[in-house]
Amino acid sequence: MKKELSQSKVAESLAISRDRLAKYEEGKSQPPLEILVRLSRYYHVSTDLLLTVDIRKVDMDGLLRLEDNHILLPVAVDARGEHAIEIIPHRAKASYLAGYSDPEYIESLQHVSLPFLGSGKFRLFAIDGDSMPPHKDSSYIVGRYVEKLEEMKAGRSYIVITADGMAYKRLGRREATALVLESDNTFYAPFEVRAADVLQVWEYAGSIATEEFDVSEMAPESVREMLQEIRKDVAALRGPKL
């Protein structure tokens, strides 16, 4: 209806009969995975949106379009038409896992503007634990959206989101079917995440500390290691020298 297309036209494009399409639209039968994928690609709408959201309420022009017909990313836009940075605090982590692809949920999040970040789509995530010093429970990581796992590079840190939760870790290595994630705090052992289980990845683009660092944590060796990690992240963000 939004695209003003006839059932016959859509059915022909999907290589199915009009009667079959009508049964899907009327809820008389459920389309198999193959047809869902075809529908997703035909309408340029992610399967998440097709299956979980009432797309009659979605501003389709307000979705961030990605290359190669990948999942469309719901974004919030400020009064000037620029992408706002959504904040995912501790209390919203569970709901984010359920609503990360729901434009209405994304719109309900609080936003912040950080104009110095440059190009890209960013979100601000609260982190847990002491596995990635000097960041603490009170810290926030600014993540830049990564469209493809192939873009991830060993040695850089990422917010990795799966159905089981989200983790801020450094990529040890990327294998054919899994990511090996490591903590900067060597007390914690590396672990694997299946590539097929990854919902979203956000690369480190900055951080916000809401508490001062403890002097006891800032021994010369700790400072040296922290500066080295900051240099690595800054160099990675700048890219190769010309």
Side-chain angles (χ1 to χ4, degrees), residues 114-122 144:
L114 299 174
F116 56 82
L117 289 174
S119 61
K121 171 57 197 167
F122 301 90
R144 178 187 285 108

Side-chain angles (χ1 to χ4, degrees), residues 126-143:
I127 63 168
D128 297 310
D130 60 352
S131 65
M132 294 291 285
H135 307 296
K136 303 180 179 180
D137 282 340
S138 58
S139 297
Y140 284 81
I141 299 297
V142 183

Side-chain angles (χ1 to χ4, degrees), residues 97-231:
L97 297 179
Y100 71 95
S101 64
D102 184 345
E104 288 187 296
Y105 169 76
I106 296 301
E107 187 178 356
S108 72
L109 295 170
Q110 291 184 308
H111 309 98
V112 67
S113 176
L114 299 174
F116 56 82
L117 289 174
S119 61
K121 171 57 197 167
F122 301 90
R123 280 196 182 139
L124 194 60
F125 296 88
I127 63 168
D128 297 310
D130 60 352
S131 65
M132 294 291 285
H135 307 296
K136 303 180 179 180
D137 282 340
S138 58
S139 297
Y140 284 81
I141 299 297
V142 183
R144 178 187 285 108
Y145 184 70
V146 177
E147 180 182 339
K148 304 174 184 177
L149 296 186
E150 290 77 11
E151 296 175 2
M152 299 177 70
K153 296 183 179 180
R156 297 189 187 181
S157 56
Y158 300 88
I159 296 282
V160 178
I161 298 172
T162 68
D164 294 327
M166 62 178 70
Y168 173 52
K169 300 294 178 184
R170 199 169 297 278
L171 178 64
R173 65 182 184 276
R174 178 169 50 82
E175 299 178 345
T177 60
L179 305 176
V180 179
L181 304 179
E182 301 176 347
S183 301
D184 288 350
N185 184 343
T186 55
F187 175 81
Y188 298 96
F191 62 95
E192 287 190 2
V193 172
R194 289 199 319 156
D197 293 335
V198 176
L199 302 176
Q200 289 184 340
V201 173
W202 301 79
E203 182 180 6
Y204 174 92
S207 60
I208 298 175
T210 61
E211 293 182 9
E212 282 191 292
F213 296 118
D214 194 309
V215 175
S216 63
E217 300 172 335
M218 303 302 288
E221 187 63 28
S222 299
V223 173
R224 191 177 300 110
E225 291 176 357
M226 182 182 72
L227 291 175
Q228 287 175 346
E229 294 301 331
I230 291 175
R231 290 193 187 101

